[in-house]
Amino acid sequence: MLKYIVFAFVIFINTALFAETIKTDVLVIGGTYSGTAASLQCARSKVKTILIVPGRQLINAAAAISLTQNKTLTSGIWSEFQKHLQAYNTAHKITAVNQQQVSYTTALAVLKIMTDTVKKLTVQLNTQWLTIKKSGTGWEVNVLNNGKPLYIKTKLLIDATETGKAALAAGAVFITDADHRDSTGRQLLGLVHTGIDDVYQPYTHSQLYRTSIAVNNGSVNTGRPLPAFVIPLGAVIAKNVNNLLVTGPVISAAYQVNRALDNPAAQLLLGQGAGTIAAYCAFFETTTQNLNVRMIQGELLDHKGVLLPFADIASTDADWRATQQVAATGLLQGERSADGRAAILNFMPDVAVNTAEIKPVLLETYTRSFLWFNRIKPVEQFTVGNLLSLISEFTLTAPDVLQAKLQRQWQLTYHFKQAFDLNRPVTRREFAVLVNQYLNPFARRVDLEGRMVN
């Protein structure tokens, strides 16, 4: 033990004396899928990013990876990975491909293609971190890069390791919970963050779905049904340490029940969400104590990230962005349904809007809306006429002018399936698109608990 301490001390002294110093906006530690995705997203959000990996390969794994989890999800870096995989198989004339899994070497080649084509991203292989210490609002990290000392100064630090040791060295506090164990009975670690400490299924626990940065769309994992769920923004933020994010399997104990995040799809999506947060802080010269949830989610959506795991609205749908943003406010909530052995979440775009569903959130979002409800008294099913009246009320647009405009654009511009009829119930797609455009409830700020900020 004494020899180890002396050896580590000698390395630290030599590193401090002779190390080259480089500066970056974000430093990502870890050869993992989440680390790769986080670094990709940071660089694409136009901040200088360094990813350090301890091994000689981008990902520290050797086993084939499953393609069954989130395989129908058509958004984010996971979807991009799938497209690159198809292109790679075609280019290399790989025809006998197992549709359930992909080899480690193929996955590694695809991820390398993705990282090699992104500006502002530097990947340092065979690089081990030695010490981590706070420096103002940022960090100073001593590393060994191919045996040579390197000194990195960074604004944001992301621990994407499998163990969370980098976060621990940075001062993060972890807890253990005997009630949270994986399928083998192993006790799991949970990061002390904003108090979010369980798998969060949309609409069943407060309003945390409003802060979502990653999803699972309802896949079967480890032989058991895994319901659709979201990961709130606060789940990756170290509560007691500023400008430190964690994406590894230790982020939260209960997220690992059924090994919910123990698959490349979930890790890529989680990493993309964390990378968006880090890029926001670096770009706007702020800290994880001052986050604008909606701006972060907006950037994530710009890069085809997903906030709610709707199985029936693909990212290629013209109205995908509108449904994501309106659903993130809670105005329209999805409904779970069984899909084989999984529990997926559907948006149900062609179903009529119920007044009882949208009224509470409208009252919460717009202080004057109670006057409109008291005057109009909409019936059980919200009509197209009700929607136009609501828009007219809040945009101060003359009702006849608005009606004439939307009647012209109804199918020509918006391509709505049903004909324009003021008396029929409005569909959820129609409501989402028009409310998003004219009222923009997504612009209403929320805190990390999903509560609206006045």
Side-chain angles (χ1 to χ4, degrees):
M1 182 64 180
L2 180 59
K3 290 182 179 179
Y4 174 81
I5 294 174
V6 171
F7 177 70
F9 179 75
V10 170
I11 291 179
F12 172 74
I13 293 298
N14 288 336
T15 300
L17 290 176
F18 304 109
E20 175 191 357
T21 299
I22 59 176
K23 293 182 179 180
T24 189
D25 293 315
V26 180
L27 174 63
V28 183
I29 300 176
T32 59
Y33 290 98
S34 66
T36 303
S39 60
L40 280 169
Q41 184 58 53
C42 286
R44 288 171 177 173
S45 292
K46 299 180 174 59
V47 298
K48 187 178 179 181
T49 307
I50 296 176
L51 168 63
I52 62 173
V53 178
R56 296 185 180 276
Q57 303 289 349
L58 191 61
I59 301 297
N60 299 325
I65 67 170
S66 172
L67 296 177
T68 58
Q69 294 91 355
N70 286 301
K71 66 178 181 179
T72 60
L73 193 63
T74 59
S75 303
I77 288 179
W78 166 238
S79 178
E80 180 186 347
F81 173 83
Q82 292 176 300
K83 292 177 182 177
H84 277 286
L85 177 61
Q86 292 176 355
Y88 183 88
N89 289 337
T90 300
H92 291 78
K93 299 180 180 180
I94 302 175
T95 56
V97 178
N98 187 332
Q99 298 300 313
Q100 300 300 313
Q101 63 181 20
V102 60
S103 70
Y104 160 69
T105 54
T106 299
L108 185 63
V110 169
L111 290 174
K112 189 176 186 304
I113 291 171
M114 294 169 67
T115 55
D116 285 349
T117 57
V118 178
K119 296 180 180 179
K120 291 186 175 291
L121 172 59
T122 301
V123 178
Q124 299 279 10
L125 300 177
N126 197 27
T127 303
Q128 297 82 28
W129 64 273
L130 300 176
T131 63
I132 300 173
K133 70 175 182 178
K134 209 78 176 76
S135 176
T137 59
W139 299 93
E140 296 177 353
V141 183
N142 283 308
V143 305
L144 280 180
N145 175 231
N146 290 306
K148 297 180 180 180
L150 187 64
Y151 193 56
I152 303 175
K153 290 187 176 182
T154 183
K155 298 175 183 176
L156 273 293
L157 181 64
I158 299 179
D159 178 352
T161 66
E162 296 179 348
T163 61
K165 287 184 178 180
L168 287 171
V173 176
F174 287 80
I175 58 173
T176 57
D177 186 343
D179 293 331
H180 293 129
R181 297 175 182 272
D182 67 9
S183 59
T184 66
R186 177 175 57 91
Q187 188 167 313
L188 297 155
L189 291 175
L191 178 66
V192 176
H193 39 68
T194 58
I196 305 161
D197 200 30
D198 57 345
V199 171
Y200 180 62
Q201 298 181 33
Y203 323 123
T204 61
H205 183 269
S206 70
Q207 298 163 330
L208 293 175
Y209 65 89
R210 289 176 173 169
T211 73
S212 171
I213 57 164
V215 305
N216 180 87
N217 75 336
S219 305
V220 176
N221 197 7
T222 63
R224 300 180 62 184
L226 184 61
F229 64 83
V230 304
I231 300 175
L233 185 150
V236 299
I237 300 172
K239 181 178 180 181
N240 62 313
V241 183
N242 205 18
N243 285 359
L244 172 63
L245 305 177
V246 181
T247 68
V250 295
I251 66 164
S252 178
Y255 280 117
Q256 291 304 301
V257 173
N258 261 356
R259 304 190 68 81
L261 296 183
D262 193 14
N263 66 81
Q267 284 290 299
L268 287 170
L269 293 172
L270 178 62
Q272 183 176 13
T276 309
I277 300 170
Y280 169 85
C281 292
F283 186 85
F284 290 103
E285 299 286 344
T286 188
T287 71
T288 50
Q289 292 180 338
N290 301 286
L291 298 176
N292 185 317
V293 175
R294 291 304 189 215
M295 286 191 68
I296 292 168
Q297 290 177 320
E299 175 73 1
L300 188 59
L301 290 172
D302 286 345
H303 291 272
K304 294 300 181 180
V306 61
L307 307 182
L308 276 302
F310 297 129
D312 55 350
I313 294 284
S315 61
T316 53
D317 191 300
D319 302 324
W320 177 81
R321 177 76 178 245
T323 58
Q324 285 286 307
Q325 292 190 167
V326 171
T329 70
L331 270 170
L332 295 175
Q333 300 185 357
E335 181 176 293
R336 286 189 194 85
S337 63
D339 179 18
R341 298 176 60 202
I344 62 173
L345 189 70
N346 286 319
F347 179 72
M348 304 171 296
D350 299 322
V351 173
V353 173
N354 289 321
T355 300
E357 178 182 5
I358 62 174
K359 183 176 180 179
V361 181
L362 284 172
L363 292 174
E364 183 184 11
T365 308
Y366 307 104
T367 56
R368 293 189 300 111
S369 60
F370 77 95
L371 296 174
W372 182 86
F373 276 101
N374 289 340
R375 186 175 75 254
I376 302 300
K377 294 181 174 57
V379 295
E380 180 180 357
Q381 291 189 325
F382 212 70
T383 67
V384 173
N386 291 151
L387 179 57
L388 267 61
S389 173
L390 184 69
I391 293 173
S392 174
E393 176 84 7
F394 286 98
T395 62
L396 302 179
T397 305
D400 56 338
V401 173
L402 179 65
Q403 179 178 334
K405 178 181 179 181
L406 288 180
Q407 190 167 7
R408 290 194 305 270
Q409 297 178 334
W410 199 256
Q411 292 179 324
L412 182 64
T413 302
Y414 298 112
H415 305 289
F416 293 144
K417 295 179 181 178
Q418 299 190 44
F420 182 85
D421 181 354
L422 296 177
N423 296 315
R424 71 166 173 82
V426 66
T427 68
R428 292 162 64 86
R429 178 189 293 272
E430 295 163 348
F431 183 93
V433 170
L434 295 178
V435 165
N436 185 67
Q437 178 175 340
Y438 284 95
L439 303 185
N440 193 18
F442 187 73
R444 180 68 183 274
R445 293 188 63 170
V446 297
D447 62 19
L448 293 189
E449 299 295 330
R451 298 171 299 217
M452 292 189 181
V453 178
N454 294 321

